[in-house]
């Protein structure tokens, strides 16, 4: 049975290659492999102990989201500080998308990589040059924990990174810092339509939960990752209702006319599906391959009556929050 399954996978991979080549998209194929099948069964939780803070926080914690640019944000959640999808190229520098394709950055990051605060971990949605660039490869500490897809951690291991934690869909990892705990769960994401996504880098959404002393989630953040709206996303609000904040990767990325990330209309669909209390649109206007602007998304949100849910952050700006006191027990 295993041999038969492997044979079917090889046939699917060859069929995908033929379709891509016939459409002039050979650069997407390279050495891509089909992602591991996503299962409904929850995966085991991994543990990642971190150095405890110098002094324990008292009372109800808070946090913040600082937008740096593209999909890069600095997350502060209680005593934890995370960096997402590090992209620190400057305007005019080129991101490498693989197989000879490059795209110039149109914007400046709000911070240089040297200006970052001390980090506990990096949360990486997938391995693509506009999400993990050559600046990050050269300047991030090779021992800094990185949580990502199995494909991404294989790529990063070849580049000298040593604290790598690959998650399959629905698998979780807990970061422990003294008595404080943060749980990160890998969620479904599909970086392109069915014919193409198997040949693109494996990607994931993320749920980041700050856990109360009793172990219950006290605050929930959803990060979409580079995805389109598709059927499997409906499982997210069923498993994880009451999401406090969503970071939506938008931009309507198109290559050779093919939509690879959510545009304005799909961003609204994601809002309606996930139903976060508030959402921050990111990954909007930084590269020429982004074809759907932030303004288009805001207009679509207004047309759907969802404008009050949307929080716009310009590069460098920060959204702050405090965990509701009734949840911190």
């Amino acid at each position: 049975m295993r041999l038969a399954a492997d044979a079917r996978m090889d046939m699917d991979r060859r069929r995908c290659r033929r379709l891509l080549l016939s459409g002039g998209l050979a650069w997407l194929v390279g050495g891509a492999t089909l992602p591991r099948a996503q299962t409904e069964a929850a995966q085991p939780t991994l543990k990642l102990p971190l150095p405890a803070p110098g002094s324990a926080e008292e009372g109800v914690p808070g946090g913040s989201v600082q937008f740096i640019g593209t999909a890069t944000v600095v997350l502060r959640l209680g005593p934890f500080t995370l960096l997402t999808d590090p992209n620190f190229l400057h305007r005019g520098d080129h991101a490498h998308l693989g197989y000879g394709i490059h795209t110039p950055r149109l914007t400046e990051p709000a911070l240089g990589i040297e200006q970052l605060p001390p980090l506990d971990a990096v949360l990486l949605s997938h391995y693509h040059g506009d999400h993990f660039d050559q600046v990050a490869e050269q300047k991030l500490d090779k021992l800094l924990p990185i949580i990502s897809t199995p494909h991404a951690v294989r790529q990063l291991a070849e580049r000298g990174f040593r604290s790598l934690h690959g998650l399959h869909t629905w698998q979780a990892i807990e970061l422990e810092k003294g008595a404080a705990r943060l749980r990160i769960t890998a969620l479904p994401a599909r970086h392109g339509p069915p014919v193409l996504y198997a040949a693109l880098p494996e990607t994931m959404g993320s749920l980041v939960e700050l856990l109360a002393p009793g172990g219950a989630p006290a605050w929930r953040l959803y990060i979409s990752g580079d995805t389109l709206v598709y059927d499997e996303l409906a499982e997210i609000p069923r498993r994880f209702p009451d999401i406090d904040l969503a970071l939506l990767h938008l931009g309507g990325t198109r290559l050779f006319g093919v939509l690879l990330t959510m545009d304005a209309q799909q961003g609204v669909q994601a809002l309606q599906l996930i139903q976060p209390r508030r959402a921050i649109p990111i990954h909007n206007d930084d590269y020429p391959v982004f074809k759907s602007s932030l303004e288009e998304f805001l207009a679509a949100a207004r047309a759907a009556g969802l404008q009050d849910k949307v929080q716009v952050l310009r590069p460098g700006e920060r959204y702050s929050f405090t965990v509701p006191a009734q949840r911190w027990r």
Side-chain angles (χ1 to χ4, degrees), residues 10 186 214 236:
D10 287 339
I236 296 171

Side-chain angles (χ1 to χ4, degrees), residues 260-283:
L260 301 178
T261 64
M262 292 185 288
D263 59 11
Q265 294 301 324
Q266 288 211 0
V268 168
Q269 292 174 32
L271 267 179
Q272 294 167 330
L273 178 64
I274 303 297
Q275 298 185 27
R277 293 180 174 86
R278 191 162 293 274
I280 298 172
I282 59 176
H283 195 271

Side-chain angles (χ1 to χ4, degrees), residues 114-197:
E114 299 87 356
Q115 297 172 289
L116 290 171
L119 300 171
D120 292 308
V122 171
L123 179 56
L124 176 62
S125 64
H126 67 299
Y127 189 76
H128 239 168
D130 59 329
H131 292 260
F132 197 98
D133 61 26
Q134 54 265 43
V135 179
E137 181 179 331
Q138 293 165 8
K139 296 188 176 182
L140 282 179
D141 183 351
K142 293 298 191 290
L143 296 179
L144 181 65
I146 300 178
I147 301 159
S148 191
T149 65
H151 169 266
V153 302
R154 289 194 298 270
Q155 297 296 317
L156 293 170
E158 293 177 2
R159 288 154 178 81
F161 290 89
R162 291 291 173 262
S163 183
L164 300 169
H165 307 272
L167 299 181
H168 294 289
T169 304
W170 307 122
Q171 189 175 14
I173 186 169
E174 285 190 3
L175 282 60
E176 298 178 344
K177 205 170 186 182
R181 287 189 296 154
L182 191 75
R183 182 165 60 216
I184 297 170
T185 304
L187 300 180
R190 193 172 73 188
H191 196 350
V195 171
L196 288 181
Y197 85 97

Side-chain angles (χ1 to χ4, degrees), residues 274-293:
I274 303 297
Q275 298 185 27
R277 293 180 174 86
R278 191 162 293 274
I280 298 172
I282 59 176
H283 195 271
N284 291 293
D285 302 308
D286 301 274
Y287 290 92
V289 293
F290 297 171
K291 302 299 185 182
S292 181
S293 69

Side-chain angles (χ1 to χ4, degrees), residues 7 47 57 73 89 132 147 156 210 244 264 294 312:
K47 299 284 186 179
E57 286 193 354
V73 302
L89 296 175
F132 197 98
I147 301 159
L156 293 170
L210 184 62
D244 294 283
L294 173 61
V312 174

